[in-house]
């Protein structure tokens, strides 16, 4: 006699708020969200170039807008997201050992530390080139 | 029953009985407990003394068989390796591993996971098979060390339960199968690198990983599947670049 099966696999629905359940998921979602702000900044730079093309009056008007409080606040938010994205990206570098020291992958702290140090040094160099000495 | 002065603990367990109810429901149990009890001990106590119909998987009780995984207070854990004394919330919430279909109570359908393991070609592929008289393919301790970490996986599926990408799309190859692919990629005896990479470096393979990293956090064996996937990505990308820049070079 054939055995009747009552196998009924139940598929659970994931809540739209799944990412709030764990701080690491929250961090991940913010890192994904950071790309939106990075794109936004790219558009702001394009806007700046467009204003520059429009002559000195147009560029002056742009600068007035650029240094306004809401714009400064937006730039601060963009900077925070850019830093979040960069730092979490550099934290990833240690996951892929590109070379080995005495047959072992280099320690994670060394790889991350060196990457961050090079990043900060290059950023400071760019700031120096743009704005002159400190 | 418990003597006076015995410490009691309340657990809330997700039940699903396909023959009775259409939906999973929670059931609470209050049981006596000692500080040396793990979550699996509590489940066994309930099954032995309160409700013999409670269904869950377990075998070795020592963190090597990989069958007793469940979501405890929302986090995927091996129930044999998690002490009740380390859990702060009451009642302790025990649910089946997330991202898998539930068959009964805490038992999930592992078939999709089995298919993924197979897709990663988790075996040594040889182009030149040696005759058996010539003995085994030998390996130095240093060569073993290269893939030892990825070889420690016990297929407990906690990483799949922790992975939001897999939760979003069941087609994703996922953490453990990818780590297993890297384990064979790094094996000095293997000659099937190209074939295996082609199988895993796909849209629903390693490239779907967005590096949430939670798989490596929950892994009870420190396999670091998130790291393994990034290594595979680097491997696949460098191989592609080499093929484009040096089309005639041996790969």
């Amino acid at each position: 006699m054939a055995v009747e099966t009552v196998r009924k696999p139940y598929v659970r629905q994931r809540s739209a708020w799944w990412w709030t359940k764990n701080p690491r998921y929250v961090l991940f979602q913010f890192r994904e969200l950071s790309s939106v702000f990075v794109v936004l900044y790219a558009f702001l730079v394009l806007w700046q170039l467009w204003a520059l093309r429009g002559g000195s009056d147009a560029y002056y008007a742009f600068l007035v807008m650029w240094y306004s409080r809401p714009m400064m606040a937006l730039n601060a938010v963009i900077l925070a997201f850019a830093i979040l994205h960069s730092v979490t990206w550099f934290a990833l570098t240690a996951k892929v050992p590109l070379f080995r020291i005495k047959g072992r992958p280099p320690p994670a702290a060394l790889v991350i530390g060196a990457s961050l140090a090079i990043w900060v040094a290059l950023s400071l160099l760019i700031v120096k080139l743009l704005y002159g000495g400190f | 029953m418990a003597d006076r002065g015995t410490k009691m603990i309340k657990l809330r367990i997700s039940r699903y009985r396909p023959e009775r109810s259409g939906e999973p429901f929670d059931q609470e149990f209050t049981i006596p407990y000692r500080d040396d009890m793990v979550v699996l001990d509590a489940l066994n106590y309930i099954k032995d003394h309160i409700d013999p119909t409670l269904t869950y998987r377990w075998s070795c009780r020592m963190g090597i068989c990989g069958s007793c995984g469940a979501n405890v207070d929302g986090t995927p854990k091996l129930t044999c390796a998690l002490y009740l004394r380390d859990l702060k919330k009451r009642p302790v919430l025990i649910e089946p591993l997330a991202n898998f279909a539930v068959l009964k109570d805490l038992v999930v359908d592992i078939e999709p996971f089995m298919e993924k393991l197979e897709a990663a070609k988790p075996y040594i592929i040889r182009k030149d098979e040696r005759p058996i008289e010539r003995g085994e393919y030998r390996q130095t301790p240093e060569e073993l060390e290269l893939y030892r970490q990825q070889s420690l996986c016990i297929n407990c599926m906690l990483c799949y339960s922790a992975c939001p990408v897999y939760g979003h799309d069941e087609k994703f190859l996922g953490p453990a199968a990818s780590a297993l692919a890297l384990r064979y990629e790094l094996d000095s005896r293997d000659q099937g690198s190209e074939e295996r990479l082609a199988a895993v470096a796909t849209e629903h393979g390693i490239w779907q990983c967005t590096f949430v990293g939670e798989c490596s956090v929950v892994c009870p064996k420190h396999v670091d599947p998130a790291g393994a996937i990034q290594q595979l990505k680097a491997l696949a990308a460098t191989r592609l670049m080499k093929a484009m820049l040096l089309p005639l070079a041996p790969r």
Side-chain angles (χ1 to χ4, degrees):
Chain A
M1 196 180 88
V3 179
E4 193 187 342
T5 178
V6 287
R7 198 176 185 275
K8 272 192 292 184
Y10 184 87
V11 179
R12 291 162 287 174
Q13 293 302 311
R14 187 168 71 169
S15 147
W17 298 99
W18 62 269
W19 54 277
T20 58
K21 305 279 189 285
N22 177 333
R24 285 179 295 271
Y25 291 158
V26 177
L27 186 69
F28 163 72
Q29 289 289 67
F30 272 78
R31 197 182 71 210
E32 295 289 288
L33 187 65
S34 67
S35 59
V36 174
F37 287 89
V38 171
V39 168
L40 185 62
Y41 189 73
F43 279 115
L44 289 178
V45 171
L46 285 177
W47 186 7
Q48 184 175 16
L49 285 173
W50 185 68
L52 194 60
R53 191 172 151 266
S56 60
D57 284 353
Y59 193 62
Y60 183 75
F62 173 84
L63 284 183
V64 170
M65 183 278 302
W66 192 243
Y67 286 106
S68 67
R69 269 167 192 272
M71 217 51 191
M72 294 292 267
L74 178 64
N75 269 286
V77 172
I78 290 172
L79 180 67
F81 273 108
I83 289 173
L84 171 74
H85 195 107
S86 307
V87 169
T88 49
W89 193 85
F90 281 117
L92 183 62
T93 51
K95 293 286 182 193
V96 186
L98 294 176
F99 58 91
R100 288 174 184 276
I101 301 169
K102 288 178 188 161
R104 292 187 168 275
L110 179 76
V111 177
I112 297 171
S115 311
L116 285 175
I118 293 169
W119 172 52
V120 171
L122 286 176
S123 300
L124 288 176
L125 184 70
I126 291 169
V127 170
K128 192 172 162 62
L129 285 174
L130 288 176
Y131 298 102
F134 302 124
Chain B
M1 230 10 239
D3 299 327
R4 261 188 307 163
T6 309
K7 281 193 281 186
M8 305 294 280
I9 191 166
K10 194 189 261 188
L11 306 119
R12 180 179 294 160
I13 301 176
S14 171
R15 307 288 308 261
Y16 172 58
R17 314 177 77 178
E19 76 282 14
R20 299 246 182 107
S21 58
E23 297 269 317
F25 57 98
D26 287 348
Q27 191 176 359
E28 286 192 356
F29 299 93
T30 304
I31 61 163
Y33 101 104
R34 299 186 314 269
D35 277 348
D36 60 356
M37 276 172 76
V38 292
V39 174
L40 180 61
D41 292 328
L43 294 173
N44 284 338
Y45 182 93
I46 295 167
K47 192 169 179 76
D48 290 347
H49 297 100
I50 304 173
D51 185 351
T53 68
L54 182 66
T55 307
Y56 49 97
R57 289 194 181 106
W58 65 285
S59 176
C60 78
R61 294 187 291 184
M62 50 186 273
I64 198 64
C65 77
S67 50
C68 71
N71 272 33
V72 182
D73 285 341
T75 307
K77 290 279 184 186
L78 292 182
T79 55
C80 73
L82 181 63
Y83 285 96
L84 288 168
R85 62 166 189 257
D86 293 334
L87 296 165
K88 298 282 169 278
K89 276 199 226 154
R90 296 289 180 272
V92 175
L93 180 64
I94 307 173
E95 299 164 298
L97 286 176
N99 303 337
F100 291 99
V102 187
L103 294 180
K104 189 178 181 191
D105 295 346
L106 301 177
V107 174
V108 294
D109 185 5
I110 66 171
E111 209 50 51
F113 174 65
M114 292 297 156
E115 284 162 18
K116 285 171 203 309
L117 285 184
E118 220 177 307
K121 298 184 186 283
Y123 35 81
I124 285 173
I125 301 169
R126 293 290 297 188
K127 283 178 183 147
D128 56 331
E129 201 72 53
R130 278 202 321 223
I132 217 141
E133 312 83 72
R134 285 191 53 201
E136 60 276 72
Y137 300 111
R138 292 199 157 184
Q139 203 164 44
T140 65
E142 290 76 26
E143 286 168 333
L144 168 69
E145 198 52 41
L146 283 179
Y147 66 82
R148 202 181 64 86
Q149 187 184 15
Q150 287 80 30
S151 75
L152 296 176
C153 174
I154 56 172
N155 301 325
C156 64
M157 314 193 301
L158 299 195
C159 52
Y160 283 77
S161 183
C163 176
V165 180
Y166 182 63
H168 170 71
D169 184 357
E170 59 180 11
K171 290 200 207 80
F172 177 39
L173 179 67
S178 303
L180 196 59
L182 182 67
R183 175 248 173 278
Y184 284 94
E185 286 294 303
L186 300 178
D187 193 318
S188 60
R189 299 164 296 182
D190 183 77
Q191 296 174 334
S193 176
E194 231 167 297
E195 188 182 331
R196 192 175 301 102
L197 260 190
V200 300
T202 58
E203 189 190 342
H204 292 297
I206 53 173
W207 296 114
Q208 200 170 358
C209 167
T210 51
F211 203 74
V212 182
E214 193 64 9
C215 51
S216 294
V217 175
V218 301
C219 177
K221 292 291 164 188
H222 310 292
V223 169
D224 191 10
I229 297 179
Q230 307 324 304
Q231 284 188 57
L232 282 171
K233 284 179 182 171
L235 214 60
T238 42
R239 194 143 315 167
L240 180 72
M241 288 310 287
K242 265 188 198 159
M244 279 161 58
L245 298 172
L246 308 161
L248 299 178
R251 267 170 262 153

